[in-house]
């Protein structure tokens, strides 16, 4: 047990970090390994890989994931902003390169290859974009000579245009929703809420008209009798056959028919083998992380920290909600992973970056430290004054 009397970077970190948040994140990682034992083997055998290939790879990725969360959580507010800005710039550039030169996978160019190593840059753009946008909004609120609101407005198209070129409508929609949440928290008038809502619906309709794969997914979702939605059928069937208590670990049938049972549809596999009760516990764990993050955001006096914590928490919660909504047939398929539960190297490392930012921002800091990291010449301001 670490003593409060010891003054080392490690003890300072331990007594200022939110340990409940950390415990919940680590619990998700362990749960992901357990659930992947059911969803991974059938997919691995189907494509000629060793039975526990995905499980072993996920366990291997967890070591750098935990190290990255801990390393990033040591950063100061200034360090968080700098790392996020560098990551966002590099991520947007790599997204452009992936759309132009990346391999085509399922009709999209979302990956970029570095030899035998594949990277999905859009995963890293998401948490970095949230922090950079929160930074722009907060600067606009605190400095009259800083056009933070304009910069925050420009950040969205700069970020989503490379994603649309890939195309990646799911990530575009997620980033846009998080940006709107930040805009609202930063003091958006209700009339602008309505305007953004209309623009959002217009964007979805435009995607339906101009993107073939989006139109196809919507049509399959709306017409369940079209015969093309076998994923929809088996994801729905998994919960029906699993019931409240499940068929037992390894006893599921749906995972042998779902092509992405280890990634997009891991929640369905969990529902069949472990039952609805375990799924509800998993939902409660995600809800705890989201509510804990929002509670900590409300407590902080720093404008940037409050906006960034809110945005990162919203990003984390929305991604989980979208994945679970797809699995339970509440919305069309989006190809989005369940945080820390689905298999994926890029997904895990990017989540480690985002949650590392979140853990760092939610650390208890003396008010003098918070003020000392603000740029000179700033004046106290409320968040609501950003876009008034």
């Amino acid at each position: 047990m670490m003593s409060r009397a010891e003054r080392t970077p490690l003890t300072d970190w331990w007594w200022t970090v939110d340990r409940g948040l950390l415990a919940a994140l680590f619990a998700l990682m362990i749960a992901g390994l357990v659930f992947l034992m059911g969803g991974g083997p059938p997919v691995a055998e189907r494509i000629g890989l060793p039975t526990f290939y995905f499980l072993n790879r996920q366990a291997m990725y967890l070591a750098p994931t935990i190290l990255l969360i801990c390393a990033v959580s040591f950063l100061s507010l200034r360090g968080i902003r700098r790392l996020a800005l560098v990551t966002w710039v590099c991520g947007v550039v790599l997204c452009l390169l992936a759309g132009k030169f990346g391999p085509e996978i399922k009709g999209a160019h979302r990956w970029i290859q570095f030899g035998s190593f594949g990277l999905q840059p859009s995963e890293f753009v998401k948490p970095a974009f949230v922090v950079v946008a929160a930074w722009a909004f907060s600067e606009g609120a605190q400095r009259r000579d800083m056009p933070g609101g304009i910069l925050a407005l420009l950040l969205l198209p700069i970020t989503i245009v490379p994603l649309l070129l890939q195309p990646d409508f799911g990530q575009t929609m997620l980033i846009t929703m998080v940006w709107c949440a930040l805009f609202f928290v930063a003091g958006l008038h209700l009339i602008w809420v309505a305007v953004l809502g209309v623009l959002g619906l217009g964007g979805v309709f435009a995607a339906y008209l101009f993107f073939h794969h989006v139109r196809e997914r919507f049509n399959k979702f709306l017409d369940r009798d079209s015969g093309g939605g076998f994923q929809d059928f088996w994801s729905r069937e998994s919960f029906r056959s699993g019931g409240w208590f499940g068929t037992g670990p390894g006893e599921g049938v749906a995972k042998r028919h779902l092509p992405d049972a280890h990634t997009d549809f891991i929640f369905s596999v969990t529902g069949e083998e472990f039952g609805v009760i375990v799924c509800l516990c998993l939902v409660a764990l995600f809800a705890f992380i989201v509510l804990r993050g929002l509670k900590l955001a409300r407590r902080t006096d720093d404008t940037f920290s409050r906006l960034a914590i809110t945005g990162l928490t919203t990003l984390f919660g929305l991604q989980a909600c979208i994945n679970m909504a797809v699995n339970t047939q509440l919305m069309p398929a989006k190809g989005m992973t369940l945080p820390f539960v689905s298999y994926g190297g890029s997904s895990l490392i990017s989540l480690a970056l985002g949650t590392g930012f979140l853990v760092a921002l939610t650390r208890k800091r003396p008010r003098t430290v918070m003020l000392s990291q603000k740029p000179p010449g700033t004046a106290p301001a409320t968040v609501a004054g950003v876009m008034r």
Side-chain angles (χ1 to χ4, degrees):
M1 190 67 181
M2 297 185 187
S3 171
R4 289 182 182 269
E6 297 180 21
R7 300 299 299 177
T8 65
L10 184 58
T11 55
D12 287 344
W13 175 85
W14 177 252
W15 291 110
T16 56
V17 77
D18 189 87
R19 295 186 291 278
L21 186 62
L22 272 181
L25 291 173
F26 291 149
L28 269 184
M29 297 178 199
I30 300 302
L33 288 178
V34 173
F35 300 148
L36 197 57
M37 290 181 67
V43 180
E45 293 171 359
R46 193 159 54 237
I47 59 180
L49 295 173
T51 302
F52 293 105
Y53 173 83
F54 294 115
L55 178 64
N56 293 333
R57 295 273 292 185
Q58 187 84 341
M60 182 184 70
Y61 282 129
L62 279 183
T65 296
I66 294 172
L67 287 175
L68 184 59
I69 291 175
C70 294
V72 173
S73 68
F74 274 89
L75 293 176
S76 64
L77 298 183
R78 185 177 291 111
I80 293 169
R81 292 191 287 260
R82 288 176 177 174
L83 177 59
L85 181 60
V86 171
T87 304
W88 177 75
V89 171
C90 294
V92 170
V93 172
L94 289 176
C95 282
L96 288 170
L97 293 176
K100 187 70 175 177
F101 304 107
E104 182 178 341
I105 301 176
K106 297 182 179 180
H109 301 265
R110 300 173 186 172
W111 292 80
I112 191 164
Q113 292 293 136
F114 298 97
S116 60
F117 177 73
L119 180 73
Q120 189 175 357
S122 61
E123 292 286 347
F124 296 88
V125 168
K126 292 184 297 186
F129 167 80
V130 171
V131 175
V132 173
W135 185 11
F137 277 125
S138 65
E139 288 295 294
Q142 295 167 357
R143 299 177 59 179
R144 295 185 179 276
D145 61 332
M146 178 71 175
I150 302 300
L151 289 176
L153 288 172
L154 293 175
L155 282 173
L156 182 63
I158 293 173
T159 303
I160 66 175
V161 167
L163 298 179
L164 290 172
L165 293 175
Q166 292 182 349
D168 193 341
F169 180 69
Q171 301 286 18
T172 300
M173 185 180 71
L174 178 60
I175 287 176
T176 303
M177 288 192 293
V178 174
W179 182 86
C180 290
L182 276 176
F183 205 169
F184 178 75
V185 174
L188 179 65
H189 286 290
L190 290 178
I191 189 169
W192 285 106
V193 175
V195 170
L196 285 177
V198 172
L199 290 176
L201 291 174
V204 172
F205 183 68
Y208 178 85
L209 291 178
F210 297 109
F211 291 98
H212 173 72
H213 71 286
V214 175
R215 181 166 59 252
E216 186 177 356
R217 287 180 178 180
F218 268 102
N219 290 339
K220 286 180 180 179
F221 178 75
L222 295 174
D223 185 9
R224 301 295 177 85
D225 300 324
S226 61
F230 73 98
Q231 291 187 96
D232 300 341
F233 170 78
W234 282 109
S235 63
R236 189 167 57 249
E237 183 66 22
S238 63
F239 289 101
R240 184 181 294 113
S241 63
W244 287 102
F245 302 103
T247 59
E251 299 298 322
V253 176
K255 62 187 180 184
R256 305 191 180 279
H257 301 274
L258 291 168
D260 299 312
H262 62 316
T263 54
D264 300 351
F265 289 94
I266 190 71
F267 192 65
S268 296
V269 175
T270 302
E272 182 177 22
E273 298 191 352
F274 294 89
V276 173
I277 291 179
V278 171
C279 286
L280 291 176
C281 291
L282 189 60
V283 172
L285 189 56
F286 279 109
F288 171 80
I289 294 172
V290 172
L291 293 175
R292 184 68 177 171
L294 294 177
K295 182 179 180 180
L296 293 170
R298 185 181 178 186
R299 287 180 178 179
T300 183
D301 294 326
D302 181 64
T303 304
F304 163 69
S305 297
R306 181 160 58 249
L307 286 171
I309 294 170
T310 301
L312 290 167
T313 304
T314 304
L315 175 69
F316 186 86
L318 276 177
Q319 181 169 334
C321 285
I322 290 173
N323 178 277
M324 291 185 285
V326 168
N327 278 256
T328 53
Q329 298 304 294
L330 295 177
M331 64 185 300
K334 286 288 178 292
M336 202 164 291
T337 58
L338 188 60
F340 290 120
V341 178
S342 297
Y343 168 80
S346 292
S347 175
L348 268 183
I349 302 301
S350 68
L351 283 165
L353 179 65
T355 51
F357 285 149
L358 181 60
V359 173
L361 289 162
T362 54
R363 286 178 60 188
K364 299 173 185 176
R365 289 183 172 89
R367 186 173 179 82
T368 54
V369 174
M370 305 282 282
L371 293 174
S372 67
Q373 299 196 60
K374 292 181 180 180
T378 60
T382 60
V383 184
V386 177
M387 300 301 294
R388 295 287 185 191

